[in-house]
Amino acid sequence: MRLVILDNYDLASEWAAKYICNRIIQFKPGQDRYFTLGLPTGLPRNHPESYHSYMWNNFFKHIDIDPNNAHILDGNAVDLQAECDAFEKKIKEAGGIDLFVGGIGPDGHIAFNEPGSSLVSRTRLKTLAMDTILANAKYFDGDLSKVPTMALTVGVGTVMDAREVMILITGAHKAFALYKAIEEGVNHMWTVSAFQQHPRTIFVCDEDATLELRVKTVKYFKGLMHVHNKLVDPLFSMKDGN
């Protein structure tokens, strides 16, 4: 397990972006060789605050990607269980997830695997915890009645099957969750803790997120930054043929 600690949110975001870029380029993707990037999901496709809308507006429409290669769970599907099963099948047919990128909630949930979720769960319909509903209210003008109470999500087991997992954790309000993730044992009440048992997990955080960690822990991982920075420097380029 790696813990990469940057000074602030912007630097943590930049480091993560460079890492993802290098991983894709090193993979040398081609017409018949796909790099599969896994991401959590959520609301109905046509909702302006849905994950589908967010990803298209902030990522997919800015890059060279075939829309047919972007697979996002459809919360409007007639048969939600069939939608979840089909999603798992698509992941398998693609050869699995090479790199899963996700964040966590203050209660340590990964994707929408709320506290108490099975650590071997697969893609499914999940009831959202009140803390998650309250956190998402800001996207709905603070009106709790507009916030969805259920969502489709990849399971903890689905993410654990990825060859590599990157988890972004920033802000003091996520500090206790980071503490639970790396300094205490695996616990289904803090689903992010499951990734202690993943062979290739990388947590990327800012200083504020480390406030609940032991000083010794922070010093240890900061002492490895010269190693971690070699993962993003140099920054590779497809044009250079690297």
Side-chain angles (χ1 to χ4, degrees), residues 88-174:
E88 289 279 343
K89 183 179 180 181
K90 288 178 182 177
I91 292 174
K92 186 176 181 179
E93 291 174 346
I97 296 173
D98 292 291
L99 174 61
F100 181 92
V101 180
I104 64 170
D107 59 3
H109 72 260
I110 181 75
F112 280 121
N113 293 285
E114 303 283 27
S117 293
S118 167
L119 300 185
V120 295
S121 56
R122 311 305 299 187
T123 302
R124 68 205 186 287
L125 178 65
K126 193 75 178 72
T127 301
L128 302 183
M130 181 52 67
D131 284 348
T132 301
I133 294 173
L134 291 172
N136 286 328
K138 62 184 177 182
Y139 302 116
F140 298 86
D141 300 320
D143 187 347
L144 290 179
S145 67
K146 295 180 180 179
V147 184
T149 58
M150 304 185 79
L152 300 184
T153 182
V154 291
V156 179
T158 309
V159 183
M160 284 290 288
D161 284 347
R163 282 179 273 282
E164 185 173 8
V165 177
M166 172 186 280
I167 300 173
L168 307 175
I169 305 175
T170 58
H173 64 301
K174 305 280 183 75

Side-chain angles (χ1 to χ4, degrees), residues 209-236:
T210 69
L211 293 177
E212 295 286 350
L213 298 181
R214 296 180 178 88
V215 173
K216 184 177 181 180
T217 300
V218 175
K219 285 187 174 181
Y220 171 75
F221 284 108
K222 279 190 171 183
L224 295 174
M225 280 304 297
H226 67 288
V227 177
H228 295 155
N229 282 334
K230 290 179 181 179
L231 300 173
V232 299
D233 186 14
L235 184 63
F236 300 138

Side-chain angles (χ1 to χ4, degrees), residues 71 76 159:
H71 303 283
N76 287 328
V159 183

